[in-house]
Amino acid sequence: MSLAVIIINFRTPAYTIDCIASLAPERADVPGLQVVLVENASGDDSLPRLQAAIRDHAWSDWVTLLAQERNLGFAGGNNAGFRYLLDQPNSPDHVLLLNSDTLVHRGCLKASLARLIAEPDIGILSCMLRNRDGSVQNVCRRFPSPLRETVRAIGLPYVFRGAFEWAELEDAGWNRETTSRNVEWVGGAFMLLRTDTVRRLGGMDESFFFYGEDIEFCFRMWKNNLRVFFDPAGAITHFGGGSSDATRLANRRKEVLIWKARFHVQRRCYGCLAAAWMRFLYILVFTAKVLWLLLTGRRGSDRYRGAVSGWTVLTRPLEVPA
């Protein structure tokens, strides 16, 4: 059950080094475990710090560092790792996509691999994710189908919660600490899959740069009769926002990336008409919010500023600020 872990570093060298250190004890359970570390053109001191850590911890026999010339984004960075592994004469049987801002708990890889191997029709498996304080992090969500997005955009789940619970994307109502089950999609912080699946279906969709690629990847699994599965037998800590906090990704740039990815998910999974409809609908919703808040004298409120910001972004070309 050979396994390679792909980790992307983008301006998170401290997180990345701690993440690799948490993988070291797992080598006792997973002989031949290797790490492919993709340094995604951070433009800071990441590369020399990572090189020094590999040298100082004597990790060079199981950690390979791939330095990129430009930032490939999340999908492109993971695909660089896929290409490296598929070009090897003895490719690993399994691949784990692991965020740099995580710590792997002891025994996680063994437990997760056991489930994946036992059930051949699982395409992607995620383990339990915990926050810094130990609380459960939601990694399992429902697909943002055009119908669900339409119902959410006009606020029906918030007004008639019981009647429109099916439109909520958070997939609440079940215990993630004790329940293993099929889910629609899982976040990209921990995605375990077979190397043969990558050969057959391809890697991540590089038309996504940041956000949304995990949704499309899981959608593609279901489309090809492979399940997306959650198993809490293994666990990691996910600090969250490692490469996207305000010190690494400007808020305005992040806002545009999120909206761009949101519509691109519609385009790639449900078609161009769905993407056009969702953008038109959200422009209408923000227009109504702005007018209502103006008429009710709340021009200086945070809600007004948020509505104006959303309207401004969506009524202009979704070009990512430099």
Side-chain angles (χ1 to χ4, degrees):
M1 56 178 186
S2 56
L3 172 66
V5 181
I6 299 175
I7 301 172
I8 299 175
N9 179 84
F10 183 72
R11 301 178 182 174
T12 58
Y15 276 129
T16 301
I17 293 166
D18 288 344
C19 177
I20 297 172
S22 75
L23 286 167
E26 299 296 284
R27 298 177 68 204
D29 294 335
V30 186
L33 174 67
Q34 59 176 303
V35 170
V36 177
L37 175 55
V38 180
E39 208 305 287
N40 220 2
S42 297
D44 59 5
D45 63 346
S46 286
L47 185 57
R49 288 180 65 180
L50 295 173
Q51 289 171 330
I54 292 171
R55 181 187 64 246
D56 295 345
H57 290 88
W59 289 339
S60 60
D61 61 330
W62 62 284
V63 177
T64 300
L65 178 58
L66 304 180
Q68 304 304 302
E69 295 182 355
R70 61 184 179 88
N71 182 1
L72 303 175
F74 187 75
N78 278 308
N79 284 351
F82 283 144
R83 285 191 293 271
Y84 171 82
L85 291 170
L86 293 176
D87 284 343
Q88 302 305 303
N90 295 307
S91 298
D93 300 318
H94 307 93
V95 183
L96 170 63
L97 307 185
L98 183 67
N99 270 22
S100 62
D101 58 343
T102 61
L103 296 176
V104 175
H105 298 192
R106 191 72 178 89
C108 173
L109 300 188
K110 182 178 180 180
S112 298
L113 277 170
R115 169 72 76 169
L116 186 68
I117 292 168
E119 302 187 33
D121 62 336
I122 293 177
I124 292 176
L125 181 142
S126 181
C127 70
M128 165 72 68
L129 271 67
R130 294 193 180 274
N131 295 304
R132 189 188 301 265
D133 63 1
S135 59
V136 177
Q137 188 174 116
N138 185 18
V139 68
C140 310
R141 293 179 174 85
R142 295 171 177 147
F143 286 126
S145 67
L147 180 58
R148 281 176 179 154
E149 282 285 79
T150 299
V151 169
R152 292 178 66 248
I154 59 181
L156 290 179
Y158 314 109
V159 180
F160 306 104
R161 188 171 298 274
F164 291 95
E165 188 279 333
W166 56 268
E168 286 283 7
L169 302 186
E170 293 300 304
D171 193 16
W174 56 283
N175 190 332
R176 285 163 168 77
E177 290 189 284
T178 59
T179 306
S180 57
R181 54 170 279 188
N182 293 333
V183 295
E184 294 192 13
W185 70 275
V186 294
F190 185 106
M191 283 184 162
L192 180 63
L193 63 160
R194 293 173 180 81
T195 307
D196 283 344
T197 301
V198 180
R199 285 195 182 94
R200 184 159 64 93
L201 303 185
M204 287 191 151
D205 186 339
E206 293 189 32
S207 64
F208 292 90
F209 182 77
F210 200 56
Y211 302 117
E213 59 283 297
D214 42 10
I215 302 176
E216 189 281 332
F217 204 32
C218 292
F219 189 89
R220 206 184 326 152
M221 294 295 157
W222 281 111
K223 190 175 180 180
N224 285 274
N225 299 313
L226 291 172
R227 293 183 290 138
V228 178
F229 196 82
F230 172 80
D231 186 357
I236 65 172
T237 296
H238 180 216
F239 298 107
S243 294
S244 60
D245 67 22
T247 65
R248 300 174 177 87
L249 187 65
N251 288 335
R252 189 63 169 184
R253 180 178 171 85
K254 183 176 180 179
E255 183 180 14
V256 173
L257 282 169
I258 290 173
W259 279 111
K260 191 171 184 177
R262 195 170 195 166
F263 301 134
H264 197 46
V265 166
Q266 295 296 318
R267 186 178 300 108
R268 299 298 280 178
C269 297
Y270 304 105
C272 293
L273 185 61
W277 161 247
M278 291 315 308
R279 185 165 183 173
F280 173 72
L281 178 61
Y282 273 106
I283 290 173
L284 284 182
V285 168
F286 280 125
T287 301
K289 283 183 179 180
V290 169
L291 292 174
W292 173 251
L293 292 168
L294 278 173
L295 291 172
T296 54
R298 287 180 279 179
R299 183 168 185 164
S301 67
D302 288 341
R303 288 186 65 189
Y304 176 80
R305 285 189 288 271
V308 169
S309 178
W311 186 90
T312 302
V313 168
L314 296 187
T315 54
R316 296 175 180 177
L318 286 174
E319 296 176 354
V320 181

